[in-house]
Amino acid sequence: MARAVNEWLWQHEFWLPPGITWEDMQESEDVHYPQPRHLLLVIPFALILVGIRYTFERAIALPLSRKLGVRDKQRPKAQPNHVLETFYRTRCKTPGEDELLRLAKQCDLPARKVERWFRRRRNTDRPSLSKKFCEACWRFTFYVISFFTGLAVLYDKPWLWDQRECWTGYPQQPLQPTVFWYYLLELSFYWSLVFTLPFDVKRKDFKEQIVHHAATIFLISYSYCSNYIRIGSVVMVIHDASDCFLEPTKIFNYMKWKKTCDSLFMIFSAIFLISRLVIFPYTVLYNTYYYSMEIFQPFSGYYFVNALLITLQLLHIFWSCLIIHMVYRFIVHGTMEKDMRSDTEESDNDEEKEKMKEKERNRITYFSNITSNNYIQRNGSEPLNNRTHLTNGHIKER
């Protein structure tokens, strides 16, 4: 069964243009082509990157965050409550008003305290500022290394400057060692992100991030097996260009260097919008859709690669809308809105609002009592709290 599936999966019609078979892609002493078995190296390299990341965050990023003044907020912990904890884990983390009232009755607690318990419990699960800082430092370090590695590998390659060169001699384009290691580095990194996905900071675009990682892994893997190496290397360099500015923007935001953060974000926005909405469609999408047809006829790989590239472009448009909205608010209102993908804490704002409302109610009650007493005293009577009511409705002086 497994052998039959393997033979069906690796049919040359799925991976190579018409008229080309796997026999035409056999390696020799002088010429090397991408081989699917090379991708087995990705998993151990991804695990090595996970170990390097863990060491980097603990030994470098975390001490650096303390030196730069990044401090975690003191979060009040929710009191142990079996009923509420069970509901939180199995049912819902943000119960509605009816559920809050039902839980309050079940626990014999005021609804306000139950609401506060869920707010504090949610904040307990949110990542700390130092964790966000360490993650941003790691990604910034990798993206800088990856981007400059890509430039060093591709700067003298003709296909970086002339899009038609991506298809010269395709698919029998020899694999150069530097390009192979660049591919292995990028694919290992995205697999490492998949491995650490349950432990990384979860943002509001978590589902879009999963789609992005899956599309990227499929695209890099398929482009390697079908020898779309040239166009794949261009895609990776374009993506790393803007990511090099996104992560330091986050870092300075966590450090509360507002002006530096705003300046970097504007630079990142310009590079992202130009690279993802202008350069990527022309250099990559138009290239794979139109120029490639000058060399070979459409086949399964042609449609599959273009479908993955269009998926990436749709994600680019989604994130570009968020970025444009943030830039618009910055230009109009003069303040940079927080990252809309981030899940902000509730405790500070909500607790403060709650305390302010309580103080306001106490102040109104106190003012009302004073006003009422003064009014009664001006009319020649003592305050009601100094008199005693009898059962027959008459008042007896104390």
Side-chain angles (χ1 to χ4, degrees), residues 78 85 88-89 117-125:
E85 184 67 27
Y88 180 87
R89 291 184 176 276
W117 188 95
F118 276 95
R119 183 167 57 248
R120 291 180 174 179
R121 184 65 181 82
R122 287 192 297 269
N123 285 335
T124 303
D125 286 347

Side-chain angles (χ1 to χ4, degrees), residues 51-330:
I52 294 174
R53 172 183 174 175
Y54 181 83
T55 305
F56 174 86
E57 290 185 353
R58 296 298 181 275
I60 299 176
L62 189 58
L64 182 63
S65 68
R66 294 167 181 166
K67 290 184 178 181
L68 294 176
V70 178
R71 295 289 184 270
D72 295 330
K73 295 181 179 179
Q74 294 296 327
R75 299 170 177 173
K77 294 183 179 180
Q79 295 296 325
N81 189 304
H82 178 70
V83 175
L84 300 181
E85 184 67 27
T86 302
F87 185 92
Y88 180 87
R89 291 184 176 276
T90 60
R91 294 283 301 279
C92 177
K93 296 183 179 182
T94 310
E97 185 175 352
D98 295 338
E99 292 174 322
L100 282 175
L101 294 175
R102 181 173 59 82
L103 289 170
K105 185 176 181 180
Q106 187 176 354
C107 298
D108 194 22
L109 292 172
R112 187 184 300 276
K113 287 189 176 182
V114 175
E115 183 180 8
R116 184 185 298 123
W117 188 95
F118 276 95
R119 183 167 57 248
R120 291 180 174 179
R121 184 65 181 82
R122 287 192 297 269
N123 285 335
T124 303
D125 286 347
R126 288 189 173 90
S128 63
L129 200 62
S130 60
K131 177 178 174 58
K132 294 179 180 180
F133 180 91
C134 292
E135 181 178 315
C137 282
W138 163 249
R139 297 197 183 200
F140 169 65
T141 303
F142 178 84
Y143 287 137
V144 168
I145 294 174
S146 176
F147 177 66
F148 285 102
T149 299
L151 289 182
V153 169
L154 300 178
Y155 83 96
D156 60 343
K157 304 298 186 293
W159 66 81
L160 182 63
W161 313 105
D162 184 1
Q163 283 75 46
R164 281 185 168 87
E165 286 294 327
C166 291
W167 313 109
T168 301
Y170 180 83
Q172 294 173 312
Q173 297 171 337
L175 175 63
Q176 301 181 14
T178 54
V179 178
F180 166 74
W181 288 108
Y182 177 51
Y183 243 76
L184 187 63
L185 175 67
E186 288 278 354
L187 187 56
S188 300
F189 174 71
Y190 282 103
W191 268 111
S192 72
L193 291 183
V194 172
F195 294 157
T196 59
L197 201 59
F199 313 102
D200 288 344
V201 176
K202 291 182 176 60
R203 304 185 186 276
K204 293 180 181 179
D205 63 344
F206 180 70
K207 295 179 180 179
E208 289 79 6
Q209 287 285 351
I210 294 178
V211 174
H212 175 268
H213 294 342
T216 302
I217 289 173
F218 276 116
L219 183 59
I220 297 177
S221 301
Y222 187 88
S223 65
Y224 185 85
C225 294
S226 57
N227 205 12
Y228 274 91
I229 292 288
R230 296 185 178 183
I231 194 66
S233 58
V234 174
V235 172
M236 292 187 293
V237 168
I238 291 175
H239 278 72
D240 289 340
S242 59
D243 291 335
C244 289
F245 290 91
L246 175 60
E247 301 305 327
T249 302
K250 297 178 183 179
I251 291 173
F252 284 110
N253 180 45
Y254 303 146
M255 293 167 55
K256 302 189 184 304
W257 290 22
K258 187 176 182 305
K259 292 184 178 180
T260 306
C261 173
D262 292 347
S263 301
L264 280 175
F265 182 80
M266 298 302 291
I267 296 173
F268 158 75
S269 301
I271 296 177
F272 184 94
L273 296 176
I274 293 173
S275 62
R276 307 293 179 93
L277 299 184
V278 179
I279 298 177
F280 184 83
Y282 174 73
T283 305
V284 177
L285 290 181
Y286 187 75
N287 189 4
T288 55
Y289 180 79
Y290 181 74
Y291 287 152
S292 61
M293 292 296 94
E294 297 177 355
I295 307 300
F296 54 83
Q297 296 297 317
F299 66 106
S300 300
Y302 167 81
Y303 296 111
F304 186 68
V305 167
N306 277 281
L308 291 175
L309 291 174
I310 290 174
T311 302
L312 284 182
Q313 184 60 24
L314 292 176
L315 291 172
H316 296 165
I317 295 172
F318 169 77
W319 285 314
S320 296
C321 292
L322 297 181
I323 292 171
I324 291 172
H325 178 70
M326 295 176 69
V327 172
Y328 172 79
R329 287 185 59 88
F330 177 74

Side-chain angles (χ1 to χ4, degrees), residues 16-85:
L16 302 173
I20 304 295
T21 64
W22 289 115
E23 284 73 18
D24 300 319
M25 303 295 294
Q26 292 296 325
E27 294 183 307
S28 64
E29 294 182 0
D30 300 327
V31 180
H32 297 278
Y33 295 116
Q35 301 295 324
R37 65 177 181 273
H38 295 163
L39 296 181
L40 296 176
L41 294 172
V42 169
I43 301 302
F45 272 85
L47 295 176
I48 291 173
L49 281 179
V50 172
I52 294 174
R53 172 183 174 175
Y54 181 83
T55 305
F56 174 86
E57 290 185 353
R58 296 298 181 275
I60 299 176
L62 189 58
L64 182 63
S65 68
R66 294 167 181 166
K67 290 184 178 181
L68 294 176
V70 178
R71 295 289 184 270
D72 295 330
K73 295 181 179 179
Q74 294 296 327
R75 299 170 177 173
K77 294 183 179 180
Q79 295 296 325
N81 189 304
H82 178 70
V83 175
L84 300 181
E85 184 67 27

